Amino acid sequence: MSDRYCVFGNPVGHSKSPAIHAAFAVQCHQDLRYTAILAPLDGFATSVREFVASGGRGANVTVPFKEEAWRLATRRTGRAELAGAVNTLAFDGSGILGDNTDGAGLLRDLTVNLGCHLAGSRVLVLGAGGAARGVVGPLLDSRPAKLVIVNRNVDRARDLAQRFAGTAALHVCSYPELAERSFDLVINATSASLGGELPPLPASVFAAAGTAYDMMYGDGDTPFLAFARRHGAVRLADGIGMLVEQAAEAFRLWRGVRPDTAPVIATLRGASIANDR
Ligand code: ATR
């Protein structure tokens, strides 16, 4: 029987992870089956235990269970520990290993696929929830001159920054405090795009020739990317590349081989353009 993997989420119906892992499995000649499982909002731990009992070998975790997955893990990688959120679980018979591949996925998409140079640059991260938690540590590792976290609830941003206390480049602010400031890279790690909303950003944040990156994706520009396009960002990217890269990191953890992501990203982008028509 094929080894079983899944993604847990709520909602999870539109997840692209099953298609991504199916493509990786074919490419790497791995015999596995990957499905999407809708876990009840109050039943994540039970769903995971049932999946393990039925022979599941590993899982991805998406909204809104990443912090609960962190608590459920019996062992965690260093990057998951620091993030306080887990997007990848491995079940190896001796417990539940929790990892977080989101930050590595974002970094690889930014630097390898998009050619961004992060060292010495000014980076703004919007949001302080589960998505932001996974990426702040890896972004800091790439040595930006400044990394600012902005959130509507500033205390939540302070809590997140506290995990990296003593890092001189890291700052926290409110949206009004962004007036007249600009950044080389602006990353939307809020869930605003899911509801068709735009964080209350001043247009000044996009430096001439800057990059705007939305960790969410949809058909066409998200509200954040449309706003960035109108206000000077020249390089725009949605979260498709990150999605495929974080999946490749999870696949490597589970199967010991890293798939080639480029053809899978190209296929997903082609499919979403076809959906637009
Ligand atoms: P996720 O796991 O996707 O990060 P989350 O933990 O619920 O989900 O966090 C959602 C993030 O998006 C938060 O930073 C939230 O800001 P607040 O903490 O201030 O609520 C942010 N967010 C959601 N909708 C937003 C909007 N319309 N404008 C700005 N920020 C928004």
PDB file of all heavy atoms in Angstrom, residues 63-67 126-133 150-154 156-157 175 188-194 197-200 216, ligand 1:
ATOM      1  N   VAL A  63      -4.077  26.937   7.829  1.00  0.00           N
ATOM      2  CA  VAL A  63      -4.976  27.766   8.651  1.00  0.00           C
ATOM      3  C   VAL A  63      -6.169  26.958   9.135  1.00  0.00           C
ATOM      4  O   VAL A  63      -6.766  26.237   8.332  1.00  0.00           O
ATOM      5  CB  VAL A  63      -5.489  28.943   7.781  1.00  0.00           C
ATOM      6  CG1 VAL A  63      -6.430  29.829   8.582  1.00  0.00           C
ATOM      7  CG2 VAL A  63      -4.304  29.767   7.276  1.00  0.00           C
ATOM      8  N   PRO A  64      -6.572  27.013  10.389  1.00  0.00           N
ATOM      9  CA  PRO A  64      -6.020  27.846  11.459  1.00  0.00           C
ATOM     10  C   PRO A  64      -5.262  27.009  12.506  1.00  0.00           C
ATOM     11  O   PRO A  64      -5.265  27.374  13.673  1.00  0.00           O
ATOM     12  CB  PRO A  64      -7.291  28.416  12.083  1.00  0.00           C
ATOM     13  CG  PRO A  64      -8.254  27.231  12.033  1.00  0.00           C
ATOM     14  CD  PRO A  64      -7.881  26.421  10.807  1.00  0.00           C
ATOM     15  N   PHE A  65      -4.609  25.926  12.079  1.00  0.00           N
ATOM     16  CA  PHE A  65      -4.111  24.952  13.077  1.00  0.00           C
ATOM     17  C   PHE A  65      -2.600  24.999  13.348  1.00  0.00           C
ATOM     18  O   PHE A  65      -2.088  24.122  14.040  1.00  0.00           O
ATOM     19  CB  PHE A  65      -4.482  23.532  12.625  1.00  0.00           C
ATOM     20  CG  PHE A  65      -5.964  23.293  12.502  1.00  0.00           C
ATOM     21  CD1 PHE A  65      -6.513  22.854  11.297  1.00  0.00           C
ATOM     22  CD2 PHE A  65      -6.815  23.499  13.581  1.00  0.00           C
ATOM     23  CE1 PHE A  65      -7.883  22.628  11.170  1.00  0.00           C
ATOM     24  CE2 PHE A  65      -8.185  23.273  13.464  1.00  0.00           C
ATOM     25  CZ  PHE A  65      -8.722  22.840  12.257  1.00  0.00           C
ATOM     26  N   LYS A  66      -1.873  25.974  12.779  1.00  0.00           N
ATOM     27  CA  LYS A  66      -0.404  25.908  12.880  1.00  0.00           C
ATOM     28  C   LYS A  66       0.102  26.047  14.315  1.00  0.00           C
ATOM     29  O   LYS A  66       1.104  25.430  14.678  1.00  0.00           O
ATOM     30  CB  LYS A  66       0.237  26.973  11.987  1.00  0.00           C
ATOM     31  CG  LYS A  66       0.068  26.665  10.504  1.00  0.00           C
ATOM     32  CD  LYS A  66       0.771  27.673   9.637  1.00  0.00           C
ATOM     33  CE  LYS A  66       0.492  27.363   8.175  1.00  0.00           C
ATOM     34  NZ  LYS A  66       1.178  28.279   7.266  1.00  0.00           N
ATOM     35  N   GLU A  67      -0.561  26.871  15.107  1.00  0.00           N
ATOM     36  CA  GLU A  67      -0.091  27.032  16.490  1.00  0.00           C
ATOM     37  C   GLU A  67      -0.492  25.812  17.335  1.00  0.00           C
ATOM     38  O   GLU A  67       0.260  25.361  18.199  1.00  0.00           O
ATOM     39  CB  GLU A  67      -0.598  28.351  17.073  1.00  0.00           C
ATOM     40  CG  GLU A  67       0.173  29.524  16.451  1.00  0.00           C
ATOM     41  CD  GLU A  67      -0.469  30.878  16.615  1.00  0.00           C
ATOM     42  OE1 GLU A  67      -0.643  31.298  17.767  1.00  0.00           O
ATOM     43  OE2 GLU A  67      -0.794  31.521  15.590  1.00  0.00           O
ATOM     44  N   LEU A 126       3.961  42.699   7.040  1.00  0.00           N
ATOM     45  CA  LEU A 126       2.616  43.061   7.506  1.00  0.00           C
ATOM     46  C   LEU A 126       1.993  41.845   8.187  1.00  0.00           C
ATOM     47  O   LEU A 126       1.909  40.779   7.577  1.00  0.00           O
ATOM     48  CB  LEU A 126       1.703  43.453   6.332  1.00  0.00           C
ATOM     49  CG  LEU A 126       2.280  44.340   5.236  1.00  0.00           C
ATOM     50  CD1 LEU A 126       1.209  44.611   4.168  1.00  0.00           C
ATOM     51  CD2 LEU A 126       2.781  45.645   5.810  1.00  0.00           C
ATOM     52  N   GLY A 127       1.581  41.994   9.446  1.00  0.00           N
ATOM     53  CA  GLY A 127       0.917  40.901  10.149  1.00  0.00           C
ATOM     54  C   GLY A 127       1.794  40.288  11.226  1.00  0.00           C
ATOM     55  O   GLY A 127       3.030  40.384  11.180  1.00  0.00           O
ATOM     56  N   ALA A 128       1.143  39.681  12.224  1.00  0.00           N
ATOM     57  CA  ALA A 128       1.873  39.058  13.327  1.00  0.00           C
ATOM     58  C   ALA A 128       1.198  37.761  13.748  1.00  0.00           C
ATOM     59  O   ALA A 128       1.342  37.312  14.877  1.00  0.00           O
ATOM     60  CB  ALA A 128       1.949  40.034  14.502  1.00  0.00           C
ATOM     61  N   GLY A 129       0.442  37.147  12.841  1.00  0.00           N
ATOM     62  CA  GLY A 129      -0.242  35.888  13.130  1.00  0.00           C
ATOM     63  C   GLY A 129       0.632  34.696  12.756  1.00  0.00           C
ATOM     64  O   GLY A 129       1.863  34.805  12.656  1.00  0.00           O
ATOM     65  N   GLY A 130      -0.005  33.563  12.571  1.00  0.00           N
ATOM     66  CA  GLY A 130       0.714  32.324  12.302  1.00  0.00           C
ATOM     67  C   GLY A 130       1.606  32.405  11.072  1.00  0.00           C
ATOM     68  O   GLY A 130       2.721  31.876  11.066  1.00  0.00           O
ATOM     69  N   ALA A 131       1.133  33.074  10.036  1.00  0.00           N
ATOM     70  CA  ALA A 131       1.915  33.150   8.797  1.00  0.00           C
ATOM     71  C   ALA A 131       3.184  33.966   9.010  1.00  0.00           C
ATOM     72  O   ALA A 131       4.267  33.591   8.558  1.00  0.00           O
ATOM     73  CB  ALA A 131       1.067  33.748   7.677  1.00  0.00           C
ATOM     74  N   ALA A 132       3.052  35.088   9.722  1.00  0.00           N
ATOM     75  CA  ALA A 132       4.217  35.947   9.976  1.00  0.00           C
ATOM     76  C   ALA A 132       5.223  35.239  10.879  1.00  0.00           C
ATOM     77  O   ALA A 132       6.440  35.343  10.679  1.00  0.00           O
ATOM     78  CB  ALA A 132       3.770  37.264  10.611  1.00  0.00           C
ATOM     79  N   ARG A 133       4.735  34.500  11.853  1.00  0.00           N
ATOM     80  CA  ARG A 133       5.620  33.815  12.816  1.00  0.00           C
ATOM     81  C   ARG A 133       6.642  32.927  12.128  1.00  0.00           C
ATOM     82  O   ARG A 133       7.787  32.833  12.572  1.00  0.00           O
ATOM     83  CB  ARG A 133       4.789  32.924  13.735  1.00  0.00           C
ATOM     84  CG  ARG A 133       4.203  33.653  14.883  1.00  0.00           C
ATOM     85  CD  ARG A 133       3.183  32.759  15.572  1.00  0.00           C
ATOM     86  NE  ARG A 133       2.751  33.380  16.786  1.00  0.00           N
ATOM     87  CZ  ARG A 133       3.228  33.083  17.998  1.00  0.00           C
ATOM     88  NH1 ARG A 133       4.108  32.137  18.151  1.00  0.00           N
ATOM     89  NH2 ARG A 133       2.817  33.715  19.050  1.00  0.00           N
ATOM     90  N   VAL A 150       4.671  45.282  11.220  1.00  0.00           N
ATOM     91  CA  VAL A 150       3.538  46.173  11.490  1.00  0.00           C
ATOM     92  C   VAL A 150       2.287  45.328  11.645  1.00  0.00           C
ATOM     93  O   VAL A 150       2.093  44.363  10.905  1.00  0.00           O
ATOM     94  CB  VAL A 150       3.372  47.228  10.363  1.00  0.00           C
ATOM     95  CG1 VAL A 150       3.080  46.597   9.014  1.00  0.00           C
ATOM     96  CG2 VAL A 150       2.274  48.232  10.709  1.00  0.00           C
ATOM     97  N   ASN A 151       1.467  45.674  12.635  1.00  0.00           N
ATOM     98  CA  ASN A 151       0.212  44.930  12.831  1.00  0.00           C
ATOM     99  C   ASN A 151      -0.830  45.875  13.406  1.00  0.00           C
ATOM    100  O   ASN A 151      -0.493  46.826  14.101  1.00  0.00           O
ATOM    101  CB  ASN A 151       0.441  43.744  13.797  1.00  0.00           C
ATOM    102  CG  ASN A 151      -0.630  42.686  13.662  1.00  0.00           C
ATOM    103  OD1 ASN A 151      -1.024  42.341  12.537  1.00  0.00           O
ATOM    104  ND2 ASN A 151      -1.116  42.158  14.771  1.00  0.00           N
ATOM    105  N   ARG A 152      -2.133  45.610  13.092  1.00  0.00           N
ATOM    106  CA  ARG A 152      -3.200  46.437  13.680  1.00  0.00           C
ATOM    107  C   ARG A 152      -3.109  46.343  15.192  1.00  0.00           C
ATOM    108  O   ARG A 152      -3.123  47.333  15.901  1.00  0.00           O
ATOM    109  CB  ARG A 152      -4.578  45.925  13.209  1.00  0.00           C
ATOM    110  CG  ARG A 152      -4.850  46.181  11.748  1.00  0.00           C
ATOM    111  CD  ARG A 152      -6.221  45.687  11.367  1.00  0.00           C
ATOM    112  NE  ARG A 152      -6.443  44.285  11.744  1.00  0.00           N
ATOM    113  CZ  ARG A 152      -7.427  43.530  11.310  1.00  0.00           C
ATOM    114  NH1 ARG A 152      -8.308  44.044  10.462  1.00  0.00           N
ATOM    115  NH2 ARG A 152      -7.560  42.290  11.693  1.00  0.00           N
ATOM    116  N   ASN A 153      -3.006  45.107  15.687  1.00  0.00           N
ATOM    117  CA  ASN A 153      -2.837  44.875  17.115  1.00  0.00           C
ATOM    118  C   ASN A 153      -1.323  44.883  17.406  1.00  0.00           C
ATOM    119  O   ASN A 153      -0.629  43.891  17.193  1.00  0.00           O
ATOM    120  CB  ASN A 153      -3.458  43.511  17.444  1.00  0.00           C
ATOM    121  CG  ASN A 153      -3.261  43.123  18.891  1.00  0.00           C
ATOM    122  OD1 ASN A 153      -2.412  43.677  19.587  1.00  0.00           O
ATOM    123  ND2 ASN A 153      -4.028  42.147  19.337  1.00  0.00           N
ATOM    124  N   VAL A 154      -0.835  46.033  17.851  1.00  0.00           N
ATOM    125  CA  VAL A 154       0.617  46.205  17.988  1.00  0.00           C
ATOM    126  C   VAL A 154       1.194  45.304  19.079  1.00  0.00           C
ATOM    127  O   VAL A 154       2.327  44.824  18.969  1.00  0.00           O
ATOM    128  CB  VAL A 154       0.963  47.692  18.247  1.00  0.00           C
ATOM    129  CG1 VAL A 154       2.470  47.888  18.353  1.00  0.00           C
ATOM    130  CG2 VAL A 154       0.430  48.550  17.116  1.00  0.00           C
ATOM    131  N   ARG A 156       0.440  42.291  19.672  1.00  0.00           N
ATOM    132  CA  ARG A 156       0.705  40.976  19.072  1.00  0.00           C
ATOM    133  C   ARG A 156       2.036  41.006  18.307  1.00  0.00           C
ATOM    134  O   ARG A 156       2.807  40.042  18.327  1.00  0.00           O
ATOM    135  CB  ARG A 156      -0.460  40.641  18.130  1.00  0.00           C
ATOM    136  CG  ARG A 156      -0.629  39.185  17.884  1.00  0.00           C
ATOM    137  CD  ARG A 156      -1.928  38.908  17.172  1.00  0.00           C
ATOM    138  NE  ARG A 156      -1.992  37.517  16.785  1.00  0.00           N
ATOM    139  CZ  ARG A 156      -2.763  37.052  15.818  1.00  0.00           C
ATOM    140  NH1 ARG A 156      -3.553  37.875  15.141  1.00  0.00           N
ATOM    141  NH2 ARG A 156      -2.767  35.773  15.516  1.00  0.00           N
ATOM    142  N   ALA A 157       2.311  42.130  17.641  1.00  0.00           N
ATOM    143  CA  ALA A 157       3.588  42.278  16.928  1.00  0.00           C
ATOM    144  C   ALA A 157       4.736  42.306  17.939  1.00  0.00           C
ATOM    145  O   ALA A 157       5.811  41.736  17.699  1.00  0.00           O
ATOM    146  CB  ALA A 157       3.576  43.549  16.081  1.00  0.00           C
ATOM    147  N   TYR A 175       0.344  50.876  11.916  1.00  0.00           N
ATOM    148  CA  TYR A 175       0.173  51.327  10.526  1.00  0.00           C
ATOM    149  C   TYR A 175       0.345  52.846  10.385  1.00  0.00           C
ATOM    150  O   TYR A 175       1.056  53.294   9.476  1.00  0.00           O
ATOM    151  CB  TYR A 175      -1.163  50.849   9.964  1.00  0.00           C
ATOM    152  CG  TYR A 175      -1.124  49.387   9.550  1.00  0.00           C
ATOM    153  CD1 TYR A 175      -1.623  48.388  10.374  1.00  0.00           C
ATOM    154  CD2 TYR A 175      -0.557  49.002   8.341  1.00  0.00           C
ATOM    155  CE1 TYR A 175      -1.572  47.049  10.008  1.00  0.00           C
ATOM    156  CE2 TYR A 175      -0.498  47.664   7.953  1.00  0.00           C
ATOM    157  CZ  TYR A 175      -1.009  46.697   8.794  1.00  0.00           C
ATOM    158  OH  TYR A 175      -0.949  45.376   8.412  1.00  0.00           O
ATOM    159  N   ASN A 188       3.309  40.822   2.553  1.00  0.00           N
ATOM    160  CA  ASN A 188       1.991  40.757   3.197  1.00  0.00           C
ATOM    161  C   ASN A 188       1.795  39.373   3.813  1.00  0.00           C
ATOM    162  O   ASN A 188       1.543  38.400   3.113  1.00  0.00           O
ATOM    163  CB  ASN A 188       0.891  41.051   2.176  1.00  0.00           C
ATOM    164  CG  ASN A 188      -0.476  41.083   2.838  1.00  0.00           C
ATOM    165  OD1 ASN A 188      -0.586  41.175   4.067  1.00  0.00           O
ATOM    166  ND2 ASN A 188      -1.524  41.003   2.029  1.00  0.00           N
ATOM    167  N   ALA A 189       1.946  39.299   5.148  1.00  0.00           N
ATOM    168  CA  ALA A 189       1.720  38.025   5.859  1.00  0.00           C
ATOM    169  C   ALA A 189       0.421  38.096   6.648  1.00  0.00           C
ATOM    170  O   ALA A 189       0.211  37.291   7.563  1.00  0.00           O
ATOM    171  CB  ALA A 189       2.899  37.733   6.780  1.00  0.00           C
ATOM    172  N   THR A 190      -0.461  39.043   6.308  1.00  0.00           N
ATOM    173  CA  THR A 190      -1.789  39.074   6.943  1.00  0.00           C
ATOM    174  C   THR A 190      -2.725  38.162   6.162  1.00  0.00           C
ATOM    175  O   THR A 190      -2.417  37.739   5.045  1.00  0.00           O
ATOM    176  CB  THR A 190      -2.406  40.492   6.945  1.00  0.00           C
ATOM    177  OG1 THR A 190      -2.851  40.803   5.610  1.00  0.00           O
ATOM    178  CG2 THR A 190      -1.433  41.544   7.427  1.00  0.00           C
ATOM    179  N   SER A 191      -3.876  37.910   6.751  1.00  0.00           N
ATOM    180  CA  SER A 191      -4.881  37.122   6.036  1.00  0.00           C
ATOM    181  C   SER A 191      -5.871  38.043   5.327  1.00  0.00           C
ATOM    182  O   SER A 191      -6.911  37.595   4.855  1.00  0.00           O
ATOM    183  CB  SER A 191      -5.620  36.216   7.025  1.00  0.00           C
ATOM    184  OG  SER A 191      -6.085  36.979   8.126  1.00  0.00           O
ATOM    185  N   ALA A 192      -5.544  39.358   5.218  1.00  0.00           N
ATOM    186  CA  ALA A 192      -6.481  40.326   4.646  1.00  0.00           C
ATOM    187  C   ALA A 192      -6.927  39.944   3.235  1.00  0.00           C
ATOM    188  O   ALA A 192      -8.114  40.060   2.898  1.00  0.00           O
ATOM    189  CB  ALA A 192      -5.857  41.724   4.640  1.00  0.00           C
ATOM    190  N   SER A 193      -5.996  39.448   2.418  1.00  0.00           N
ATOM    191  CA  SER A 193      -6.345  39.140   1.024  1.00  0.00           C
ATOM    192  C   SER A 193      -7.427  38.067   0.926  1.00  0.00           C
ATOM    193  O   SER A 193      -8.194  38.036  -0.043  1.00  0.00           O
ATOM    194  CB  SER A 193      -5.109  38.684   0.242  1.00  0.00           C
ATOM    195  OG  SER A 193      -4.149  39.715   0.193  1.00  0.00           O
ATOM    196  N   LEU A 194      -7.484  37.184   1.945  1.00  0.00           N
ATOM    197  CA  LEU A 194      -8.499  36.114   1.933  1.00  0.00           C
ATOM    198  C   LEU A 194      -9.899  36.706   1.890  1.00  0.00           C
ATOM    199  O   LEU A 194     -10.803  36.154   1.262  1.00  0.00           O
ATOM    200  CB  LEU A 194      -8.381  35.248   3.194  1.00  0.00           C
ATOM    201  CG  LEU A 194      -7.290  34.204   3.250  1.00  0.00           C
ATOM    202  CD1 LEU A 194      -7.347  33.478   4.585  1.00  0.00           C
ATOM    203  CD2 LEU A 194      -7.449  33.219   2.096  1.00  0.00           C
ATOM    204  N   GLU A 197      -9.564  42.133   1.408  1.00  0.00           N
ATOM    205  CA  GLU A 197      -9.273  43.408   2.079  1.00  0.00           C
ATOM    206  C   GLU A 197      -7.812  43.809   1.886  1.00  0.00           C
ATOM    207  O   GLU A 197      -6.972  42.988   1.531  1.00  0.00           O
ATOM    208  CB  GLU A 197      -9.550  43.283   3.583  1.00  0.00           C
ATOM    209  CG  GLU A 197     -11.017  43.118   3.897  1.00  0.00           C
ATOM    210  CD  GLU A 197     -11.242  42.725   5.359  1.00  0.00           C
ATOM    211  OE1 GLU A 197     -10.259  42.716   6.129  1.00  0.00           O
ATOM    212  OE2 GLU A 197     -12.394  42.438   5.695  1.00  0.00           O
ATOM    213  N   LEU A 198      -7.555  45.084   2.185  1.00  0.00           N
ATOM    214  CA  LEU A 198      -6.210  45.631   2.089  1.00  0.00           C
ATOM    215  C   LEU A 198      -5.814  46.163   3.462  1.00  0.00           C
ATOM    216  O   LEU A 198      -6.576  46.925   4.059  1.00  0.00           O
ATOM    217  CB  LEU A 198      -6.233  46.782   1.072  1.00  0.00           C
ATOM    218  CG  LEU A 198      -4.928  47.523   0.817  1.00  0.00           C
ATOM    219  CD1 LEU A 198      -3.933  46.635   0.097  1.00  0.00           C
ATOM    220  CD2 LEU A 198      -5.207  48.785   0.008  1.00  0.00           C
ATOM    221  N   PRO A 199      -4.650  45.783   4.007  1.00  0.00           N
ATOM    222  CA  PRO A 199      -4.221  46.389   5.272  1.00  0.00           C
ATOM    223  C   PRO A 199      -4.124  47.910   5.100  1.00  0.00           C
ATOM    224  O   PRO A 199      -3.871  48.387   3.982  1.00  0.00           O
ATOM    225  CB  PRO A 199      -2.837  45.767   5.505  1.00  0.00           C
ATOM    226  CG  PRO A 199      -2.849  44.504   4.714  1.00  0.00           C
ATOM    227  CD  PRO A 199      -3.687  44.779   3.511  1.00  0.00           C
ATOM    228  N   PRO A 200      -4.305  48.681   6.180  1.00  0.00           N
ATOM    229  CA  PRO A 200      -4.337  50.150   6.062  1.00  0.00           C
ATOM    230  C   PRO A 200      -2.946  50.759   5.880  1.00  0.00           C
ATOM    231  O   PRO A 200      -2.411  51.429   6.745  1.00  0.00           O
ATOM    232  CB  PRO A 200      -4.958  50.580   7.397  1.00  0.00           C
ATOM    233  CG  PRO A 200      -4.631  49.480   8.352  1.00  0.00           C
ATOM    234  CD  PRO A 200      -4.583  48.209   7.551  1.00  0.00           C
ATOM    235  N   MET A 216      -0.360  35.252   0.291  1.00  0.00           N
ATOM    236  CA  MET A 216      -1.613  34.656  -0.198  1.00  0.00           C
ATOM    237  C   MET A 216      -1.576  34.641  -1.733  1.00  0.00           C
ATOM    238  O   MET A 216      -0.726  35.284  -2.348  1.00  0.00           O
ATOM    239  CB  MET A 216      -2.811  35.496   0.248  1.00  0.00           C
ATOM    240  CG  MET A 216      -2.967  35.590   1.730  1.00  0.00           C
ATOM    241  SD  MET A 216      -3.572  34.030   2.388  1.00  0.00           S
ATOM    242  CE  MET A 216      -3.171  34.201   4.101  1.00  0.00           C
TER     243      MET A 216
HETATM  244  P1  ATR B   1      -2.520  33.495   9.879  1.00  0.00           P
HETATM  245  O1  ATR B   1      -2.207  32.134  10.412  1.00  0.00           O
HETATM  246  O2  ATR B   1      -2.999  33.491   8.445  1.00  0.00           O
HETATM  247  O3  ATR B   1      -1.423  34.482  10.106  1.00  0.00           O
HETATM  248  P2  ATR B   1      -3.969  34.665  12.080  1.00  0.00           P
HETATM  249  O4  ATR B   1      -3.049  34.063  13.085  1.00  0.00           O
HETATM  250  O5  ATR B   1      -5.434  34.711  12.341  1.00  0.00           O
HETATM  251  O6  ATR B   1      -3.837  33.959  10.686  1.00  0.00           O
HETATM  252  O7  ATR B   1      -3.446  36.167  11.816  1.00  0.00           O
HETATM  253  C1  ATR B   1      -4.040  37.014  10.871  1.00  0.00           C
HETATM  254  C2  ATR B   1      -3.145  38.233  10.687  1.00  0.00           C
HETATM  255  O8  ATR B   1      -3.693  39.057   9.659  1.00  0.00           O
HETATM  256  C3  ATR B   1      -3.054  39.122  11.916  1.00  0.00           C
HETATM  257  O9  ATR B   1      -1.788  39.750  11.929  1.00  0.00           O
HETATM  258  C4  ATR B   1      -4.173  40.150  11.655  1.00  0.00           C
HETATM  259  O10 ATR B   1      -3.986  41.370  12.314  1.00  0.00           O
HETATM  260  P3  ATR B   1      -4.495  41.589  13.854  1.00  0.00           P
HETATM  261  O11 ATR B   1      -3.627  40.689  14.704  1.00  0.00           O
HETATM  262  O12 ATR B   1      -4.246  43.018  14.121  1.00  0.00           O
HETATM  263  O13 ATR B   1      -5.944  41.181  13.848  1.00  0.00           O
HETATM  264  C5  ATR B   1      -3.976  40.337  10.177  1.00  0.00           C
HETATM  265  N1  ATR B   1      -5.152  40.864   9.465  1.00  0.00           N
HETATM  266  C6  ATR B   1      -6.284  40.190   9.120  1.00  0.00           C
HETATM  267  N2  ATR B   1      -7.118  40.989   8.397  1.00  0.00           N
HETATM  268  C7  ATR B   1      -6.482  42.183   8.271  1.00  0.00           C
HETATM  269  C8  ATR B   1      -6.814  43.426   7.633  1.00  0.00           C
HETATM  270  N3  ATR B   1      -7.961  43.591   6.961  1.00  0.00           N
HETATM  271  N4  ATR B   1      -5.921  44.438   7.720  1.00  0.00           N
HETATM  272  C9  ATR B   1      -4.748  44.282   8.392  1.00  0.00           C
HETATM  273  N5  ATR B   1      -4.374  43.139   9.012  1.00  0.00           N
HETATM  274  C10 ATR B   1      -5.227  42.106   8.951  1.00  0.00           C
END
